[in-house]
Amino acid sequence: MKLPTLLATFLPSFTLSSILPRQDPEFAGYLISTFSDPIPAVQWHLSTSNSPSSFTFLNNATPILTSTVGTGGVRDIFLTTDGDRKRWFLLATDLDINAEGFSWDEVTRRGSRGLVVWESGDLGGWEGPRLVTVEDPTAGMAWAPSAVWDADTQQFFVFWSSRHYAEDDVEHVGNATLDRIRFATTTDFVSFSEPRDYLALEDTPLIDQEFVNLGRPGHWARFLKNETVNQVYQETTTEGLFSSEWERVKGYVRPESPREGTVVFGDNAEEGLWHLWVDDYTEYVPYQTRDVLGGGWMESGYEGFPRGLKHGCVTPLTAEEVEVVRGRYG
Ligand SMILES: *[C@@H]1O[C@H](CO)[C@@H](O)[C@H](O)[C@H]1NC(C)=O
Ligand SMILES: *[C@@H]1O[C@H](CO)[C@@H](O)[C@H](O)[C@H]1NC(C)=O
């Protein structure tokens, strides 16, 4: 979306625009990219109509892509595209928790500092995977990637979570920093800028950051998991992704029990309706609100909603994209 020049001069240079406005009449369905605990590989579910309540598990309920790089397992699947929707990238955490001798301590000290990436021109076939190192040698891992296309600078901002060890602790045996949100920029998911902190809190380990544009330039909500309480909280801004002014929605999106791995998206058909899915540590539970700035997420209570969905992403697809996906994987 190109801003009128007059408006653009009053917005900070880091203001990001959305790929397409939500409720675009072109959007005809929803695609879930996910994985499962027993099968850490990319799995797709396509909505049966233009509603996020009912889905078909594509490719005969088997993965569409399996990693052959790094640990061989992928989690936290994220699908992103550029402004023309002609280049698609699937990103994932390089982590196999079912691996022989697996330990959480080991994978946060000497885990993968790379993201697994597949690339496609039209969602109908994929190149890759490749493992791209995004983190510094001081990092213990790079988990839960997400990305935002910035039309103004024609590049992606890529975010993930990691913790860091002292420069002289080359074996990562000592104490680490708290988990923090990191970012880098890329145009091709091959080369990345130097990673930097996006959000590092002194008292709170953070992971699973997810952004959603609220339909206007610079207006964003972000969701983060506070790992001390294993709860997801929401913040909003009108000043772009790199704003220093984020307003916290009081409390947590679901304070009654642990949640993680947020997915958030606007409804394709109904303006002002927003969907939030959070993982209750076994699978996604869908919530919705008509007051996205205030939170107030209520359980959607869909019957027949797919079981066992883990940290992934939901992408609105045009009718043409739905046809490509159904034709290839339906
Ligand atoms: C690591 O943290 C523990 C607990 O906070 C502390 O007792 C210990 O001294 C720290 N070790 C180093 C090398 O800083
Ligand atoms: C995370 O939870 C801890 C424990 O309740 C709390 O002290 C801390 O302020 C929380 N941080 C955020 C950002 O919510």
Side-chain angles (χ1 to χ4, degrees):
M1 195 193 304
K2 194 86 196 97
L3 294 176
T5 319
L6 185 64
L7 179 59
T9 44
F10 290 103
L11 289 164
S13 58
F14 262 131
T15 296
L16 302 178
S17 19
S18 59
I19 296 169
L20 277 176
R22 307 314 294 246
Q23 294 86 43
D24 190 297
E26 275 191 71
F27 288 137
Y30 301 85
L31 179 68
I32 306 173
S33 304
T34 189
F35 72 100
S36 62
D37 274 329
I39 306 172
V42 182
Q43 301 169 24
W44 269 3
H45 299 250
L46 183 65
S47 64
T48 52
S49 65
N50 201 8
S51 153
S53 60
S54 161
F55 288 85
T56 305
F57 195 165
L58 295 180
N59 210 32
N60 294 318
T62 64
I64 64 150
L65 295 165
T66 301
S67 177
T68 52
V69 295
T71 64
V74 283
R75 303 173 69 84
D76 315 325
I77 317 297
F78 194 89
L79 176 63
T80 190
T81 183
D82 66 9
D84 297 331
R85 304 175 77 86
K86 293 277 191 290
R87 286 187 308 158
W88 296 84
F89 299 91
L90 268 166
L91 320 177
T93 300
D94 174 26
L95 179 64
D96 179 10
I97 69 167
N98 305 318
E100 184 95 19
F102 172 84
S103 103
W104 285 109
D105 184 64
E106 178 63 23
V107 296
T108 52
R109 291 181 181 277
R110 291 163 291 271
S112 180
R113 294 184 289 111
L115 302 179
V116 181
V117 179
W118 285 270
E119 186 169 343
S120 175
D122 65 355
L123 298 172
W126 293 87
E127 278 172 39
R130 55 180 183 261
L131 184 63
V132 192
T133 301
V134 292
E135 259 300 356
D136 292 332
T138 50
M141 78 288 193
W143 283 359
S146 66
V148 175
W149 169 251
D150 179 25
D152 295 344
T153 59
Q154 294 287 301
Q155 64 187 346
F156 293 91
F157 286 88
V158 185
F159 301 87
W160 65 88
S161 180
S162 63
R163 67 183 65 169
H164 292 260
Y165 295 82
E167 295 271 355
D168 59 3
D169 178 13
V170 292
E171 300 296 326
H172 297 184
V173 292
N175 291 338
T177 65
L178 296 179
D179 292 350
R180 57 191 51 199
I181 307 300
R182 302 271 285 169
F183 82 100
T185 58
T186 187
T187 56
D188 55 11
F189 289 90
V190 174
S191 51
F192 287 77
S193 66
E194 285 293 309
R196 285 162 53 193
D197 282 354
Y198 173 71
L199 185 59
L201 298 182
E202 254 165 47
D203 65 345
T204 306
L206 297 173
I207 195 168
D208 289 356
Q209 178 176 256
E210 183 92 359
F211 292 106
V212 68
N213 183 271
L214 299 178
R216 303 170 73 177
H219 291 229
W220 293 88
R222 72 181 178 193
F223 296 80
L224 289 140
K225 179 187 176 191
N226 175 344
E227 291 182 284
T228 306
V229 288
N230 295 326
Q231 291 289 342
V232 171
Y233 67 92
Q234 174 183 351
E235 296 178 322
T236 58
T237 189
T238 57
E239 303 281 320
L241 285 191
F242 290 81
S243 166
S244 52
E245 307 284 323
W246 288 86
E247 198 174 323
R248 167 89 177 244
V249 175
K250 208 164 159 283
Y252 296 94
V253 298
R254 301 305 297 181
E256 69 278 14
S257 55
R259 295 284 189 272
E260 64 176 2
T262 305
V263 160
V264 58
F265 56 99
D267 193 85
N268 283 352
E270 186 184 331
E271 189 167 356
L273 176 62
W274 298 83
H275 302 277
L276 173 97
W277 299 355
V278 275
D279 179 355
D280 69 358
Y281 282 64
T282 58
E283 60 187 3
Y284 269 138
V285 183
Y287 299 90
Q288 55 182 259
T289 188
R290 287 183 172 76
D291 174 21
V292 73
L293 292 176
W297 299 98
M298 306 291 288
E299 204 160 330
S300 300
Y302 299 139
E303 275 180 37
F305 188 72
R307 308 300 308 265
L309 300 179
K310 300 294 288 182
H311 192 178
C313 120
V314 173
T315 309
L317 296 187
T318 65
E320 197 181 326
E321 290 158 358
V322 165
E323 282 321 303
V324 171
V325 166
R326 198 177 278 138
R328 173 68 181 77
Y329 301 104

